[in-house]
Amino acid sequence: MLPPFKGVLVHDHWSAYLQFECQHQYCNAHYLRELIRAHEQDDCRWAKLMHALLLKINQAVTDAGGELSESAIKGYRKRYRSLIKRGEKESPVRPSEAGKRGRPKQSKARNLLDRLRIYEDDTLRFMTDAKVPFTNNQGEREIRMLKVQQKISGCFRSAGSAENYRLFRSYLSSCLKHGVSASEGINLLARNEWPEFIKQHLQ
């Protein structure tokens, strides 16, 4: 499915995904967790400020209805790059040790900083493209129960049962997104009825 994909792939920066010739957006929920770790464990002030900036940009995008003005984009990029420069001072590259070959092992905070610097466009694509989300957490949540089922049972007994499971999980997920609880959605199915949001779509 992925090799011919030409859209925007939102993921957690696993290097294997970089082989695909498409645009990328790195999941900022993962970045936020890494930034918290860098601040709390490595005492990186820049990481705390970058964490706050990413959240602020996301809120600005939401408030603007998904599209920021060019001036706002330039302003946020300037602040982003300013924090990268600050990070380079706070988390410098480690010098090579005498007698050891290859690049010196960097701290997790420095590796994070390098990714944020090198992949700036793929980190901030959500503020320049209204179709790109800040995080792929929703996608992870959607597939989580399938993975739990896989771990517990190993597999489905038939293609039909797998399809039924997929349809049922999709139905419940749609219900939750439209303010219908899982129990209410199941009760409606038991009464052979559809939730209002599906009725409106069928009309």
Side-chain angles (χ1 to χ4, degrees):
M1 180 177 72
L2 287 177
F5 181 72
K6 298 302 179 184
V8 179
L9 186 62
V10 185
H11 57 84
D12 60 359
H13 210 292
W14 188 36
S15 59
Y17 293 136
L18 301 182
Q19 67 179 298
F20 300 114
E21 297 179 358
C22 62
Q23 291 185 314
H24 300 265
Q25 163 69 42
Y26 299 128
C27 175
N28 280 292
H30 287 81
Y31 271 146
L32 292 178
R33 288 194 291 269
E34 290 186 76
L35 288 166
I36 290 173
R37 193 215 67 82
H39 175 247
E40 293 181 349
Q41 297 185 28
D42 296 337
D43 196 28
C44 295
R45 175 67 178 166
W46 71 265
K48 182 177 182 180
L49 295 173
M50 182 64 81
H51 182 279
L53 177 61
L54 289 175
L55 288 177
K56 185 170 184 176
I57 297 173
N58 183 43
Q59 187 60 53
V61 170
T62 300
D63 293 343
E67 293 186 25
L68 293 178
S69 65
E70 286 299 320
S71 60
I73 290 172
K74 287 180 180 179
Y76 284 126
R77 281 196 185 277
K78 184 177 180 180
R79 293 173 63 181
Y80 181 93
R81 291 169 183 172
S82 176
L83 288 179
I84 294 295
K85 289 181 179 179
R86 175 171 179 158
E88 289 174 341
K89 295 178 180 178
E90 290 185 25
S91 305
V93 175
R94 290 177 178 174
S96 300
E97 296 182 30
K100 287 193 175 182
R101 297 181 177 179
R103 294 177 58 189
K105 184 178 180 181
Q106 299 299 328
S107 67
K108 289 184 178 180
R110 180 67 203 200
N111 287 334
L112 171 60
L113 180 67
D114 287 344
R115 275 187 282 130
L116 289 167
R117 175 178 53 79
I118 296 169
Y119 299 103
E120 175 185 322
D121 289 341
D122 297 332
T123 300
L124 299 177
R125 194 176 304 281
F126 74 94
M127 79 170 182
T128 60
D129 188 337
K131 300 187 295 296
V132 177
F134 180 73
T135 170
N136 69 343
N137 272 0
Q138 184 64 48
E140 292 184 358
R141 283 194 291 269
E142 300 295 356
I143 201 171
R144 185 168 294 128
M145 290 310 298
L146 287 171
K147 300 303 290 185
V148 170
Q149 167 71 17
Q150 203 173 40
K151 288 180 180 178
I152 294 173
S153 301
C155 63
F156 291 95
R157 296 298 180 91
S158 68
S161 61
E163 178 65 10
N164 288 337
Y165 184 85
R166 182 188 68 80
L167 288 172
F168 189 65
R169 289 299 313 176
S170 177
Y171 167 74
L172 290 182
S173 177
S174 296
C175 283
L176 293 174
K177 290 171 185 173
H178 287 84
V180 180
S181 69
S183 59
E184 184 181 356
I186 293 172
N187 286 331
L188 287 170
L189 282 183
R191 298 198 300 268
N192 200 28
E193 298 177 11
W194 290 118
E196 284 301 319
F197 73 90
I198 293 182
K199 288 180 181 178
Q200 294 173 2
H201 181 71
L202 294 175
Q203 290 176 353

